[in-house]
Amino acid sequence: MSRRIMPFLLAVAMLATGFAALVQRPAAGTPKRTVDYVVIAGVAGLRWDDVDPVATPTLWQMAERGSIGSLSVRSAQQPTCPMDGWLTLGAGNYAAWNGLPVTGQCPPLDVAVERPDRIGAYLHDQRAAVRHNQEKLRWGAVPGALAESVRCTVAVGPGAAIAAARPFGRVDRYQPSLPRDPTDLLASCVLSIVDLGTVAGDDPAARAAAARRADAALARVLAARPDRSLVMVAGVSDTDQASRLHVAVADGPGWDRGWVTSASTGRAGYLQLVDLAPTALAALGRPTPERLFIGKAATMADGRPHDLAAAIARPADADQEARAQRRVAMWFFALLAGVQLLLSVAVVPLLRRARRYAKPGDPAPAPRWLLSAVEVLLVAAALAIPAALVADAVPWWRTAHAGLVFGAVTVLVLALATVAVRFARHYRTTLGPMGLVAGLAAIIVGADVLTGARLQLNGVAGYSALEGGRYAGIGTVGLGVIVAGTLLAAGCLAQRIRRSWRPAVIVAVGGSGVIVVGSPYLGADPVGAIALTAGVSVAAAISTGGWLTFARFAWATIAGLAVTAGFAVLDLQRPAAERGSLGRFLTAVGDGTGGLTVHRSGASNMAALGGSTLSLLAIIAAVLVWFALLRPWGGLKRLFGIYPAIRAGMAGVAVASLIGGVLGGSALNVAGAAAALAVPMATLASLRVLDHATDRTHPPLVPPEIPWPPRDDAVAGPVAGSADGGRGAPVATSADASAGPAEDLPRTRPAAERPMAERGVGASDTTAAEGDPPPAVPAAPAGAGGSIARQPGSADVAAPSP
């Protein structure tokens, strides 16, 4: 009994130890009060390519002495128009002014601001905006939450009035335009919000003129700023359907020559619009409203170049890459889905003809060159996403024809990777391509994560900062690739060793993947780590063959729950502002607001299910597996029977990708990325297993001088005394789940017509390679006639007629 449970105890120990060592990231602590006043100056549409020392000298000098970064203006509406951006700023959460679609340019900033007295103002539409966000949107935003968190707020301009209005519409102090000397106005309240105008359009001259006007107004704000004040300049919104990254500058005590960042982005130089409200309250030493703000307080990160021009070039380049990424990623994944669909259709007749028959009238096998070509195409299809990830190391987005350059670089990388796999030492074995491709894909994604996930940020095979979902760590596509690569590579490796140690191998390889995915220093995806843990547990439980019994399921569940509990405990120990998604969800469940989180996840899943090409990839893969590979002629069942560790790895991939997608709010996207790697490799392995299968047809009659059945002292192998050296009479054998494919049986056909296994392909898929002793070869019973000799778990082998 102890021998059986030891692998699962090893699973719990290894994974729990790894998480205890890596998950507890040092807490940064709650930001302390640093200033007495905060001024937020917003310019709708302002980008870093609008900033230069000539057109915007004030902003240039402010950026020189302060901290800068790229601002993602995600709101509850896409694109984020000026009214949505200002409302999101005041809510500290993803908000939208109304649900009207945007066609072309954003509507003008037209809001009715009443002034019942000469001090404050009133917005009649504020109550309707609050109801719209509370009843129709999934984020639970409360417009005016920022103003409700301080005693007094100043607003200058209509956009600032939207951000500074309290939920019932009242603005404490309001001026429609910036006074010539705003010193007294800015000192009248601890929080001031100023609308500096809008920079819109594609005309460089018009944009430069608008930027100069905003810069002149900013100069008056800086000249009148109170002592011990923090001034933040933000490009609060887009101005048309093209989403962009915008300007973020912070100038004040503690913001000297650095990058702005926050816990919501986890990457230096990136900030979200929803982070501005908690940043203002943290700087003032005010508590943030519980469960209302989704953003995190911004902080300063070191590492900014001393030269401001070089520093500004980075966010400007990131904006250019993110803009190009959106267009290129759309056609890349559409093309990948089309290629996978064509391969799925083309491989079905090859699967039906892959098994060798000798009966007259049976379909002839496909030409060897055709099978070899299809195998190469399957390898290339599986490596397409890793190749696209590597292609982002080349700055293709800076060229005039970004899409063509990216395609050329991706094809070149894909060709080199495919050639490397094709001419690798183990390619000719049955599981060789699967192990090579899976290992290569997992190494590529893992190496990128270990080096800061620079290829995934704004990459075609990564995630976009414009979407506002992730800025650091591993993304949805990367998670699917590393799940499939890790578990398939673990299954191929485990298949080559003794049965009793296969669970330990899968846990060791899969556990390393869990650490890479879940560590906040690396992948920073606790939900993905939990999903991969579930997949590793299932794979380890069934890697030795047989069914998923209750005992195996129990130990797999214990391992998965142990890791999940470890993640939860360590995350809950962190400050509330720095907790991950798991910690925030458990906190919400504890205070009775977990339903909102579940609603957000469900809405996100529905949006991802209908608007992603990766969902189509997952559906194509499911159709191919169910209607082809799992058919009696499909070969996948035979592959699973011969190689139980591969069956375990494939089951783990399915479990992990589905759990990771649903819990992460991406529906089938993780499964689609995993299927793009796993299904082509399963198809290739099925083709080879069918090609190695023993014929079901009856062999030629045994010459009369050769006794049949053989004597009790007969041994397996060529029949002594036969005229052809024993090639005319095959011997019944057994090919159980641990004995490898029946590919070394004697054949009667010419060499040119023999399966690949007889000509050297798959020669290493033997019992010795798997680490299991060969079973005894039973003699055919007397009077067997023309029946099929069978043994439980064995391949069908024809016994000759008398």
Side-chain angles (χ1 to χ4, degrees):
M1 181 66 179
S2 60
R3 183 179 179 183
R4 292 183 178 180
I5 68 174
M6 184 58 66
F8 303 104
L9 294 178
L10 180 64
V12 177
M14 289 183 63
L15 296 178
T17 302
F19 299 145
L22 294 176
V23 170
Q24 183 101 23
R25 190 170 187 172
T30 303
K32 298 180 180 180
R33 177 177 178 177
T34 58
V35 297
D36 296 330
Y37 298 90
V38 171
V39 179
I40 301 176
V43 187
L46 183 65
R47 303 194 299 260
W48 278 112
D49 51 13
D50 299 317
V51 180
D52 62 68
V54 177
T56 57
T58 304
L59 184 57
W60 185 272
Q61 294 174 7
M62 181 181 175
E64 179 76 38
R65 62 177 178 266
S67 297
I68 65 174
S70 297
L71 180 69
S72 172
V73 295
R74 177 188 177 187
S75 67
Q77 178 91 345
Q78 290 296 327
T80 298
C81 287
M83 285 190 292
D84 302 322
W86 286 109
L87 197 69
T88 298
L89 170 61
N93 199 340
Y94 302 126
W97 184 255
N98 53 48
L100 299 178
V102 177
T103 57
Q105 299 292 322
C106 286
L109 189 60
D110 185 15
V111 58
V113 181
E114 295 183 1
R115 300 192 67 190
D117 51 46
R118 289 190 169 276
I119 299 175
Y122 184 77
L123 270 69
H124 278 286
D125 296 333
Q126 184 76 350
R127 294 178 181 270
V130 172
R131 288 196 301 270
H132 174 70
N133 283 272
Q134 288 286 295
E135 298 174 2
K136 297 184 179 180
L137 301 181
R138 68 179 186 269
W139 300 105
V142 178
L146 174 60
E148 286 287 280
S149 302
V150 294
R151 295 183 60 183
C152 177
T153 305
V154 171
V156 178
I162 296 175
R166 297 180 183 271
F168 53 89
R170 172 69 180 178
V171 181
D172 299 331
R173 294 182 180 273
Y174 177 73
Q175 289 292 332
S177 60
L178 189 68
R180 184 176 297 277
D181 183 9
T183 303
D184 294 338
L185 180 65
L186 298 180
S188 62
C189 295
V190 296
L191 175 63
S192 299
I193 304 176
V194 182
D195 182 359
L196 297 182
T198 301
V199 180
D202 296 326
D203 183 11
R207 294 190 65 88
R212 279 194 296 269
R213 290 192 295 269
D215 189 76
L218 177 63
R220 280 184 284 165
V221 171
L222 294 180
R225 64 187 294 183
D227 295 335
R228 285 183 50 82
S229 62
L230 169 64
V231 178
M232 293 185 288
V233 177
V236 294
S237 73
D238 298 311
T239 56
D240 52 33
Q241 288 185 321
S243 298
R244 304 290 292 272
L245 294 175
H246 297 275
V247 168
V249 183
D251 177 33
W255 298 89
D256 301 329
R257 295 178 178 272
W259 296 108
V260 292
T261 186
S262 76
S264 70
T265 63
R267 188 181 291 272
Y270 284 86
L271 194 69
Q272 291 194 80
L273 181 60
V274 294
D275 296 331
L276 297 181
T279 301
L281 295 183
L284 294 171
R286 304 297 176 89
T288 58
E290 296 183 2
R291 301 184 299 275
L292 294 183
F293 284 4
I294 201 171
K296 306 296 180 184
T299 56
M300 188 196 74
D302 297 327
R304 198 187 92 177
H306 181 74
D307 181 37
L308 181 60
I312 288 179
R314 292 190 183 181
D317 186 66
D319 175 45
Q320 185 179 3
E321 181 183 5
R323 185 184 183 188
Q325 182 261 4
R326 172 170 293 186
R327 299 192 306 267
V328 176
M330 184 179 301
W331 67 256
F332 170 77
F333 284 105
L335 182 61
L336 178 60
V339 171
Q340 295 261 13
L341 177 61
L342 291 177
L343 279 176
S344 300
V345 173
V347 82
V348 171
L350 296 179
L351 286 169
R352 299 188 67 93
R353 299 171 58 186
R355 190 159 188 167
R356 300 304 183 100
Y357 294 91
K359 181 180 178 182
D362 284 336
R368 182 56 52 191
W369 64 267
L370 179 59
L371 290 176
S372 299
V374 170
E375 288 183 354
V376 171
L377 291 176
L378 290 171
V379 170
L383 289 173
I385 294 180
L389 186 64
V390 175
D392 278 303
V394 178
W396 51 268
W397 58 90
R398 300 175 187 169
T399 62
H401 304 283
L404 295 178
V405 174
F406 171 80
V409 175
T410 302
V411 169
L412 177 60
V413 174
L414 183 59
L416 293 176
T418 304
V419 169
V421 171
R422 173 62 183 83
F423 292 100
R425 177 183 176 185
H426 297 287
Y427 179 80
R428 295 175 64 83
T429 63
T430 302
L431 301 181
M434 178 182 290
L436 291 169
V437 170
L440 182 60
I443 289 173
I444 289 174
V445 177
D448 179 51
V449 172
L450 291 173
T451 55
R454 301 181 185 276
L455 299 179
Q456 294 189 64
L457 176 64
N458 297 325
V460 172
Y463 41 83
S464 173
L466 298 176
E467 300 295 334
R470 176 169 286 271
Y471 301 84
I474 193 167
T476 299
V477 178
L479 177 61
V481 172
I482 203 169
V483 162
T486 300
L487 289 173
L488 290 183
C492 292
L493 184 61
Q495 189 62 45
R496 302 181 65 86
I497 67 170
R498 297 184 62 86
R499 284 176 181 269
S500 58
W501 285 102
R502 287 175 183 171
V505 171
I506 290 182
V507 166
V509 177
S512 62
V514 172
I515 293 174
V516 169
V517 170
S519 171
Y521 295 102
L522 303 174
D525 187 0
V527 172
I530 292 171
L532 183 53
T533 299
V536 171
S537 300
V538 170
I542 61 176
S543 59
T544 56
W547 298 99
L548 185 62
T549 61
F550 177 78
R552 291 178 171 182
F553 178 76
W555 285 113
T557 303
I558 291 174
L561 291 178
V563 175
T564 304
F567 264 115
V569 171
L570 293 172
D571 202 10
L572 289 173
Q573 290 179 355
R574 299 174 58 79
E578 300 179 13
R579 290 172 186 167
S581 56
L582 179 61
R584 292 195 300 269
F585 173 72
L586 294 177
T587 303
V589 171
D591 58 25
T593 60
L596 179 60
T597 303
V598 175
H599 175 63
R600 292 175 182 171
S601 179
S604 180
N605 278 316
M606 293 302 297
L609 184 63
S612 174
T613 310
L614 288 172
S615 299
L616 179 60
L617 273 171
I619 295 173
I620 292 172
V623 170
L624 175 63
V625 170
W626 183 257
F627 291 101
L629 295 181
L630 287 178
R631 298 296 95 186
W633 45 266
L636 192 58
K637 290 183 178 179
R638 180 175 176 84
L639 176 69
F640 288 168
I642 298 173
Y643 303 108
I646 301 303
R647 180 188 66 163
M650 295 288 289
V653 169
V655 170
S657 59
L658 290 176
I659 292 178
V662 173
L663 295 185
S666 58
L668 296 179
N669 287 351
V670 177
L677 170 65
V679 174
M681 290 298 94
T683 304
L684 192 154
S686 298
L687 283 170
R688 290 195 169 184
V689 165
L690 289 173
D691 188 64
H692 301 168
T694 305
D695 297 342
R696 293 178 182 271
T697 56
H698 289 226
L701 293 177
V702 181
E705 64 271 22
I706 301 178
W708 188 267
R711 299 184 303 272
D712 293 338
D713 57 350
V715 296
V719 180
S722 62
D724 57 356
R727 291 188 299 272
V731 179
T733 185
S734 173
D736 66 3
S738 67
E743 55 196 36
D744 296 321
L745 296 179
R747 303 287 178 162
T748 60
R749 284 169 289 180
E753 300 179 11
R754 295 178 187 170
M756 296 169 62
E758 297 181 45
R759 303 196 304 273
V761 180
S764 66
D765 298 325
T766 60
T767 302
E770 297 175 18
D772 296 321
V777 179
S787 62
I788 302 296
R790 297 179 183 270
Q791 183 172 333
S794 66
D796 296 331
V797 182
S801 300

